[in-house]
Amino acid sequence: MDLSAEVAARLAAGEAALQRALSEDPHRPTYHFLPVATWMNDPNGLIQWQGQYHLFYQYNPNGLFWGTMHWGHATSPDLVHWTDLPIALAPTPGSPDEDGVFSGCAVDHDGTPTFIYTGVRGEEQLPCIATSEDDLLTWQKHPGNPVIAAPPEGLDTVMFRDHAAWREEDGWYQVIGSGIRDVGGAALLYRSPDLVRWEYVGPLCVGDASRTEPLWTGTMWECPDFFPLGDRHVLVVSVRDEENLLYGASLVGRYQGHAFTPEALGYVDTPGSFYAPQTLLDDQGRRIMLGWLREERSVDAQVASSLAGVMSLPRVLSLSPDGTLLMNPIAELERLRRDHQAYDNLEIVPSGIAALPGAEGECLEIVAEIESHDADRVGLRLRRSPDGEEETLVVYDHGDGALTVDASRSSLSQDAHRGVQSLPFRLKDGELLRLRVYLDRSVIEVFANDRACLTARVYQSRPDSRGIGLFVSGGSITVRRLDLWRMASIWEA
Ligand code: DQQ
């Protein structure tokens, strides 16, 4: 397909107009990517190609519910402003993907963009490939699909899908998400000279479902990603059991001789709203992660709404010298900042509550630096109604060593799940609490001290739930500085 600049500009303008029309829905985010009208889940095939970022994503064009998976396609010059393009991959009747094209990755195979994805036919889920000759717009499936005929012989797998591939000196490698019955989640390693013929190398990493510390790694791993970062390697997996999608987990360790030795295990985000993350390496050398933000309300409410699935903001990953995974929002998001407000040196007394005069809104960025004077609990109140009937709290609990998004009073609607999501987190002696919070209607993304992320979905029922404040218990705090910006819509005309 020849997508001339003029056609592309018209598509982008039409897309933005539709997005603006749908923004009447008070829960619909305005600066997170989501498709116009139907269901979206995992990010797929993240790649930068000729300067443009490409985001493919699990997509159901048939409604606001999961089913008949396709790959949607959006591009961006900056990972902030997106243009949604025609569907990239759809199931082909009578083929190994006739019941769905599940998640996978994109690689540059000597100048040919190539997808590795999971084709679904009945109960079978097997690796397939597709290539593009027109800069990622249309895709030709390989006639030899599936390129791996079955899970490894002799391994009792409970799942076999989702792909991350990379090149080494002796050829291509990929990991496939899996689980070994009665053992735990697994990432299985394969090798290929050409992305078509694959040989099983062995498990890259296997979890232990009988262990729960420091976190339970489930019985299956979906959407594995594996990449070098600093002087180590990181394996990211989406942990689940038979019934539930649980969370993204990161294993940081050493990779040598095709063997991976994890040294540290942690949450990529709180259990709940953020799932199936994938990364790309861009031309600035940044390792950037996007994840699927699931809805946290009843299926009926989703089907009746204008949204079912949102893409997270892009995060840049790095490692601290001690091997801790660090995550920060990409700098390009600052382009959306408008109407700056700043507050300096606010003292809040023990068990105090502070409303921030003039601080309110539904699409905001908040950056706060807070010094605690022996406080037990300290945090932000977000989307607060004037009488406090609705509000969502971001809480640092020093005693419990936890960071929490408490959405239990976020909405009066019975359709909203209103959960409480926590992560282990403790400030070091003398360390300030540094919070960077993105509010985008039903989305809250919190970045804390470069090393913890909490994502939540909240569905306020009151239009006046817009206030922002602070609270403390057990001691006092000094808010050294708090900056707040209204965030522009990425679909603005
Ligand atoms: N979603 C895809 C699968 C993947 C799961 C199907 C994770 O490929 O395992 O939509 O959300």
Side-chain angles (χ1 to χ4, degrees):
M1 186 200 303
D2 176 27
L3 195 78
S4 68
E6 192 194 328
V7 174
R10 278 201 214 157
L11 260 177
E15 157 86 2
L18 283 169
Q19 291 277 4
R20 285 198 299 278
L22 288 165
S23 74
E24 297 285 303
D25 175 346
H27 301 303
R28 191 175 174 90
T30 66
Y31 64 91
H32 284 73
F33 173 75
L34 73 174
V36 164
T38 60
W39 169 279
M40 181 197 79
N41 56 292
D42 317 349
N44 291 155
L46 294 181
I47 193 166
Q48 194 182 25
W49 192 264
Q50 295 175 354
Q52 286 286 314
Y53 294 98
H54 290 258
L55 160 66
F56 301 88
Y57 54 90
Q58 288 285 284
Y59 178 58
N60 179 8
N62 302 314
L64 285 149
F65 53 89
W66 186 88
T68 329
M69 297 324 295
H70 292 56
W71 280 31
H73 181 194
T75 56
S76 172
D78 59 3
L79 286 164
V80 175
H81 298 89
W82 294 96
T83 301
D84 212 6
L85 294 172
I87 287 170
L89 276 186
T92 302
S95 85
D97 65 23
E98 67 178 1
D99 292 320
V101 283
F102 276 17
S103 289
C105 62
V107 292
D108 178 351
H109 187 198
D110 299 329
T112 302
T114 305
F115 285 157
I116 308 177
Y117 67 96
T118 300
V120 180
R121 172 157 55 186
E123 294 296 299
E124 237 173 40
Q125 302 188 347
L126 293 170
C128 296
I129 63 173
T131 51
S132 173
E133 285 167 8
D134 58 4
D135 294 334
L136 292 71
L137 283 171
T138 59
W139 293 82
Q140 291 73 48
K141 295 175 183 173
H142 192 271
N145 282 342
V147 291
I148 298 175
E153 258 178 54
L155 210 57
D156 192 1
T157 54
V158 284
M159 194 200 98
F160 188 62
R161 61 169 179 261
D162 309 337
H163 313 266
W166 65 94
R167 200 170 207 163
E168 295 188 25
E169 270 174 16
D170 61 344
W172 287 98
Y173 284 79
Q174 70 157 314
V175 276
I176 301 180
S178 191
I180 300 175
R181 200 176 310 280
D182 301 327
V183 178
L188 306 179
L189 184 65
Y190 282 77
R191 172 172 35 219
S192 169
D194 53 10
L195 297 175
V196 176
R197 292 166 291 156
W198 290 96
E199 160 199 15
Y200 179 53
V201 178
L204 180 74
C205 190
V206 181
D208 178 352
S210 67
R211 284 185 53 182
T212 53
E213 294 294 329
L215 57 121
W216 189 55
T217 56
T219 55
M220 304 175 214
W221 290 351
E222 300 185 303
C223 304
D225 199 355
F226 188 61
F227 47 87
L229 195 67
D231 60 355
R232 294 174 171 84
H233 267 71
V234 181
L235 175 65
V236 172
V237 292
S238 289
V239 173
R240 64 169 298 163
D241 61 17
E242 286 71 11
E243 301 283 314
N244 302 298
L245 313 183
L246 300 174
Y247 35 72
S250 63
L251 298 101
V252 179
R254 309 276 175 183
Y255 177 61
Q256 227 175 10
H258 307 120
F260 176 59
T261 313
E263 296 165 342
L265 172 62
Y267 291 99
V268 171
D269 205 298
T270 42
S273 314
F274 181 99
Y275 195 72
Q278 188 179 98
T279 69
L280 69 86
L281 184 67
D282 82 349
D283 57 13
Q284 299 171 44
R286 300 182 298 180
R287 178 61 63 175
I288 299 169
M289 174 183 275
L290 292 168
W292 162 41
L293 308 188
R294 299 156 61 192
E295 300 303 319
E296 294 286 349
R297 57 180 173 174
S298 69
V299 174
D300 285 350
Q302 284 173 48
V303 171
S305 77
S306 82
L307 71 150
V310 178
M311 204 51 73
S312 75
L313 296 176
R315 313 174 169 176
V316 180
L317 307 185
S318 57
L319 276 192
S320 74
D322 70 357
T324 304
L325 184 65
L326 305 179
M327 293 175 280
N328 280 290
I330 52 157
E332 287 89 330
L333 286 164
E334 294 177 14
R335 297 176 187 172
L336 299 175
R337 290 173 170 176
R338 305 282 186 278
D339 308 335
H340 181 218
Q341 287 168 263
Y343 305 81
D344 280 310
N345 291 317
L346 301 174
E347 303 287 341
I348 304 182
V349 297
S351 300
I353 295 180
L356 291 171
E360 59 148 38
E362 50 177 23
C363 300
L364 301 174
E365 180 188 347
I366 303 165
V367 179
E369 272 197 355
I370 300 173
E371 183 184 358
S372 167
H373 311 293
D374 297 325
D376 294 334
R377 297 176 84 237
V378 45
L380 296 175
R381 301 171 177 275
L382 307 173
R383 300 301 307 267
R384 180 174 165 85
S385 59
D387 59 2
E389 191 179 34
E390 285 188 345
E391 68 175 355
T392 299
L393 305 178
V394 177
V395 187
Y396 169 56
D397 189 318
H398 187 67
D400 287 354
L403 260 184
T404 299
V405 176
D406 179 348
S408 55
R409 291 191 302 113
S410 59
S411 176
L412 302 176
S413 161
Q414 292 308 311
D415 282 324
H417 291 170
R418 294 168 295 173
V420 179
Q421 298 165 218
S422 288
L423 279 181
F425 178 87
R426 201 179 287 282
L427 290 176
K428 298 172 190 139
D429 281 349
E431 190 182 12
L432 299 180
L433 178 61
R434 288 184 290 110
L435 298 176
R436 190 147 165 187
V437 178
Y438 294 89
L439 293 187
D440 193 6
R441 295 182 160 179
S442 60
V443 172
I444 298 180
E445 287 189 70
V446 180
F447 293 79
N449 292 58
D450 307 329
R451 62 179 186 271
C453 288
L454 299 94
T455 300
R457 302 299 305 276
V458 289
Y459 305 89
Q460 299 79 12
S461 65
R462 289 178 50 161
D464 61 350
S465 294
R466 295 169 56 84
I468 307 294
L470 294 141
F471 71 93
V472 59
S473 68
S476 63
I477 51 171
T478 306
V479 180
R480 292 258 189 102
R481 170 102 181 164
L482 188 145
D483 290 284
L484 181 143
W485 293 266
R486 178 178 71 78
M487 294 292 268
S489 162
I490 57 174
W491 313 110
E492 254 176 20

